[in-house]
Amino acid sequence: DHASFASRCRRRMLAWSNPVEYEYFTTVFGH
Amino acid sequence: MPLTAADESLFERWRERIEQLIRDHPLQIITWEATRRCNLRCIHCGSPAEEVDLGSELTEDEVVGAFEQIAADFDMSQFRHVNITGGEPFVRSDLLDILRRISRIPYYRNIDIQTNGIVLANRPELLAKLRQAGVTGLGISIDGLESTHDAFRHIHGGFRMAWDAARRAADSGYVVTVSVVAHARNVHEIQELFERVRDGIRPRVFRIMTIDPIGRTGFDSEYLLSADQTREVIEFLKGEYERSCHTYANRATTMVELGCGGWLGRDLEGLVRPFIWHCIAGINNLGILHDGKLGACSNIPRKFIEGDLRTERIKDVWDQQYRRYRSSDWRRTGPCATCKEWPYCHGGPMHKACIADRCLLHLSKLAVTCGAHDH
C-alpha cells in the first residue's frame, strides 16, 4: 500500500535524531 | 491522509529538535561560492554576475587558507560536506588545484559541485581528475526538454551538453543530482522530463526548485508560476514520491524532491521529498562567498552578509553574528503573523526573506485546498 508506506516513512523521518539528517535511507525507507 | 494525533506529536518533537539545532548551530556544511563568473546568462539566475565586483574574487591561497582556518578553529565532529556553487565553478582555472588542496584536509572528504555541465561535457576527462581531487557529488541543471532548456539558458546545444555531463557522471559513480527550475514554460514537460532523466541518466536525485522572483527573474516575469502551476508541480512530486519512495533505500534508484522552495505544511511535509524541510542557512550551513564575504547560500541577498574572512576570524563571525538567520521573528509579518505553520517553518527559506509573497503553501493555496490550516 504505497500511501500507507509513505506515511510510515514520514513517521520515521520525524523521529530521526537529527532533524535535517537527509543509515538514514535504509532506516527510513527500508522494507 | 489526515494527520493523526501521533503524527502531530511527532511534528512537535521534530520542532523541538529543529529549535535545538538552531541554538547549537553545529557546523555541518560549507557552501563555497567559487565565483560569480559564468559561461551562461540564464533567465532565472539567483546569483548573477552583474550584481557584484568580479575582480574581488578570492585567490587560490585565500580559499585554501579559509578551509584550513575552519578546520583548525571549529568543532568539526559533526561536519559532513562541502557544497561548491557559482556562477559556474568550472570557469575557475584553478578549481582542480583548490580541490586537491582542500581535500587533503581530513574533514573535507565529501565535496559536491553544482554546474551547468558545459565544461564537463566538453572535457569529460575532468571526471576522473575530479574524483582524484576528492569530489563525490555533482549537481547538474536541466531546465526542461531540449528546446525549452536551451531557450531558458540562452544556449543552443546546452541541453545535450548537460545531459551528457550528467549521464557520464552517473556512470562514473558520482552521487548525481539533476536540478530542474520549474517555471511557467516547462511545467507541462516535467513528467516527461523526469521519466527521461530517470531512465536515461539514472541520477540519485531529481530535484525541482520552483522559480523565485530573485536575481534576474523580476516580479513581472512571464516565467513565474501561477497558483495552479505551483500546485501542479507539487502534485507531480507527491504522486511520484508515493509511487517510488519504497525503493529509496536502494542507492541506485532515483529519488524525487522539492528543493528549497519552502515549507508545505504538516499535511504534505515528508510526502513530497525524502526529508522534512527546514532552511539550514546560517544554522548548520556556512557560506563563503566569491569575495570572502560570509553568508550562506549564494542566492541569498547580499544584504545578509555577516562578515568578511579577509578581515575577521570565520569562527568569531559564526559565533557572534548570524542572528538574522537564527532568530526569525523579524520575518513574522503579513500572512506569517497569524499562520499556524510558523512554529515549524520560521518564515521559510532565507533566499526569499525579502519577498512578501514568499510562502509556497500560501502561493499554491494548498491551505485552502486541504482546509487544514488558516493562512
Side-chain angles (χ1 to χ4, degrees), chain A residues 2-7 9-11 13-22 24-26 29-31, chain B residues 1 3 7 10-11 14 17 21 28 80 241-243 245-246 249 257 266-267 269-270 274-275 280 284:
Chain A
H2 290 262
S4 173
F5 185 92
S7 290
C9 289
R10 175 165 73 171
R11 287 172 197 153
M13 277 180 216
L14 285 163
W16 196 260
S17 55
N18 183 331
V20 291
E21 187 64 69
Y22 165 80
Y24 177 82
F25 294 116
T26 305
F29 298 105
H31 290 280
Chain B
M1 196 172 290
L3 286 182
D7 292 332
L10 282 167
F11 267 107
W14 176 87
R17 287 198 296 278
L21 187 80
Q28 297 185 308
R80 296 304 190 86
Y241 177 87
E242 189 173 287
R243 270 191 295 278
C245 73
H246 70 91
E257 72 168 57
R266 283 161 290 169
D267 288 337
E269 278 300 330
F275 56 97
I280 57 170
N284 67 349

Side-chain angles (χ1 to χ4, degrees), chain B residues 149-206:
Chain B
H149 174 97
D150 289 1
F152 194 55
R153 290 183 167 261
H154 293 147
I155 178 170
H156 180 68
F159 175 89
R160 184 48 52 192
M161 286 187 275
W163 182 280
D164 287 349
R167 186 179 51 76
R168 288 175 192 270
D171 289 348
S172 301
Y174 285 93
V175 178
V176 172
T177 297
V178 168
S179 292
V180 181
V181 174
H183 56 76
R185 292 189 177 179
N186 73 0
V187 69
H188 62 287
E189 300 177 347
I190 285 177
Q191 179 73 48
E192 181 182 352
L193 179 65
F194 166 70
E195 290 170 4
R196 289 179 60 180
V197 165
R198 179 196 59 197
D199 299 338
I201 295 174
R202 300 186 300 279
R204 180 55 167 145
V205 182
F206 182 83

